[in-house]
Amino acid sequence: MLLASTQHALLKSPFSSQSPSPSPLSPSCRFRMSSAGPALPPLSDDRIVVGCGSVTLDFLAAVATYPKPDDKTRSTSSKVQGGGNAGNALTCASRLGLQPRLISKVADDSQGKGILEELEADGVDSSFIVVSEGGNSPFTYIIVDDETKTRTCIHTPGYPPMIPDDLTESKLLAAVDGARLVYFDGRLHDTALVIAQEATRRGIPILIDAERKREGLDDLLSLSSYAICSAKFPQSWTGAPSVTSALVSMLIKLPNLKFVVVTLGEDGCIMLERSNENGLMEEVDVDELLVALKYKNDSKTILPTCVASSEVKLHAKGIGTVGGRLLLGTAEKIPPSELVDTTGAGDSFIGSILYALCTNMPPEKMLPFASQVAGINCRALGARTGLPRCSDPRLISFLV
């Protein structure tokens, strides 16, 4: 496809560097105006989400510079708090107003007790977490480098590991009962697959965190409706030559996927949303389309934004074609003086996506909203310290 045809496809649907006006919501989700300004749209009762994956205790230490071998150094700050991808994402979802249930496993040690207490205090239902007699709860040492703004994680898995037999049939059925969404972080794959199969039987959509290749991940991907990927995963999983062509490949290989998002850190994110190819006449090279999106994006905007193409046939050379839209989201430009720790940024992004899906938020609003939540969270030490609530003034413009 020629670049000219790509530009033509874009012009059929105007861009906006700001989040567009919200589409009409169901009566239960419309917001009311008050003398103090716009109120947030009330959440419906249909907001139960189930997550299965890792929970840990995080021991965080920030240092001026990362130590060299055999060095001794002192921390500039420290914190002990709950962690783990699933634990963090569902904590984020709870603070935003959802009702999360978490399936995982800890031991009956002091660390496990602390993990459960913290989750419950944040509104996450921990009654489906298995507590083993003896063994050890999972924990992670995290070293945050103040100079480079990077973090290094040293994880110790819990023992004994979770197996499907740990989750009784009655617990499984109770966990997914009334759920709007089911989410997996890619761990505990044998147990996760049992839950995913039950969710599929009930028609409950599944969101998968595809951070890296893991045992059993392909089975979960095949049942998923939504995928959130780390920067390297799409190309690693598909072998495609570019990120965008890899996204096309994923939608071709995984026909149940409605959209796939790849997060790119400070470079934002890219989303490929599937649409029906019937009636789509124009075919556009997906790599050229991304270039055109970047050209239209306002690089001077500090807050997260999103630009989107119209619905076209997206072609990846040597891979195939899929009907859909390509969306490019930006990340917040956080001043260096405010950036503290990126631990859990991806988890908070996913927790925000869960909220967005439960509130029928359109993708053009969903991506900037999730990026803003992640940006807020990066301003504090640890994966949960900075997680905002819906009432946070920094989120209001993204929600009303």
Side-chain angles (χ1 to χ4, degrees), residues 3-335:
L3 184 58
S5 67
T6 303
Q7 294 170 333
H8 175 66
L10 297 176
L11 291 173
K12 293 193 314 187
S13 179
F15 287 91
S16 171
S17 60
Q18 302 293 329
S19 299
S21 299
S23 58
L25 298 172
S26 62
S28 62
C29 292
R30 290 178 183 147
F31 63 86
R32 300 186 301 272
M33 300 296 291
S34 69
S35 58
L40 294 176
L43 283 166
S44 69
D45 293 333
D46 188 16
R47 53 195 171 101
I48 296 173
V49 293
V50 177
C52 174
S54 66
V55 290
T56 71
L57 192 65
D58 287 351
F59 297 89
L60 295 121
V63 295
T65 58
Y66 194 83
K68 296 179 180 178
D70 210 31
D71 265 2
K72 292 183 178 180
T73 189
R74 290 192 177 189
S75 63
T76 57
S77 59
S78 63
K79 184 175 289 291
V80 178
Q81 69 176 191
N85 295 73
N88 296 336
L90 292 190
T91 297
C92 176
S94 179
R95 291 193 188 181
L96 292 174
L98 301 187
Q99 295 177 334
R101 300 168 180 167
L102 179 55
I103 300 172
S104 191
K105 187 173 185 176
V106 298
D108 59 353
D109 52 13
S110 59
Q111 293 180 172
K113 181 180 178 181
I115 289 170
L116 297 178
E117 289 177 347
E118 186 175 348
L119 289 169
E120 288 289 347
D122 255 315
V124 179
D125 184 349
S126 67
S127 63
F128 301 98
I129 295 179
V130 177
V131 180
S132 67
E133 295 183 7
N136 67 274
S137 297
F139 60 94
T140 304
Y141 296 118
I142 302 175
I143 302 174
V144 179
D145 187 336
D146 290 337
E147 183 178 35
T148 61
K149 305 299 182 182
T150 58
R151 86 285 186 273
T152 301
C153 302
I154 305 170
H155 179 64
T156 299
Y159 184 84
M162 188 169 193
I163 59 175
D165 287 345
D166 286 333
L167 189 65
T168 64
E169 183 178 3
S170 60
K171 279 276 192 180
L172 168 62
L173 298 179
V176 299
D177 185 47
R180 174 75 177 269
L181 286 166
V182 174
Y183 149 70
F184 302 105
D185 67 6
R187 295 171 175 83
L188 311 179
H189 60 275
D190 290 335
T191 303
L193 183 58
V194 172
I195 300 167
Q197 290 168 340
E198 180 62 28
T200 300
R201 280 192 288 269
R202 294 176 177 233
I204 304 172
I206 294 170
L207 184 147
I208 183 73
D209 175 6
E211 184 180 32
R212 59 183 176 85
K213 290 182 179 181
R214 299 182 189 276
E215 184 179 357
L217 180 62
D218 287 5
D219 292 331
L220 294 174
L221 278 168
S222 68
L223 298 175
S224 296
S225 303
Y226 314 103
I228 311 295
C229 307
S230 63
K232 296 180 180 179
F233 179 82
Q235 287 178 266
S236 172
W237 191 74
T238 64
S242 68
V243 172
T244 43
S245 63
L247 299 184
V248 170
S249 180
M250 287 186 69
L251 287 194
I252 292 173
K253 293 175 182 292
L254 302 167
N256 289 328
L257 277 188
K258 296 179 180 179
F259 70 63
V260 56
V261 178
V262 55
T263 57
L264 304 170
E266 63 182 10
D267 293 324
C269 60
I270 301 171
M271 174 178 176
L272 184 54
E273 180 188 32
R274 188 193 301 274
S275 64
N276 195 325
E277 287 191 41
N278 295 335
L280 298 179
M281 302 298 295
E282 191 161 12
E283 185 173 297
V284 178
D285 181 271
V286 70
D287 291 326
E288 292 183 0
L289 185 57
L290 179 61
V291 172
L293 286 172
K294 289 180 177 179
Y295 178 77
K296 294 293 295 184
N297 183 47
D298 184 359
S299 61
K300 296 180 181 179
T301 304
I302 295 175
L303 293 179
T305 61
C306 178
V307 290
S309 75
S310 58
E311 293 186 1
V312 292
K313 290 183 178 180
L314 297 159
H315 177 73
K317 295 174 183 177
I319 293 173
T321 301
V322 66
R325 294 194 302 158
L326 194 68
L327 298 94
L328 176 64
T330 65
E332 182 186 4
K333 293 180 175 62
I334 304 175

Side-chain angles (χ1 to χ4, degrees), residues 357-372:
L357 291 171
C358 285
T359 55
N360 302 313
M361 193 180 291
E364 293 90 339
K365 289 179 65 69
M366 176 178 72
L367 296 182
F369 169 70
S371 293
Q372 178 68 0

Side-chain angles (χ1 to χ4, degrees), residues 345-360:
D347 301 331
S348 59
F349 185 93
I350 289 175
S352 306
I353 295 294
L354 291 172
Y355 173 88
L357 291 171
C358 285
T359 55
N360 302 313

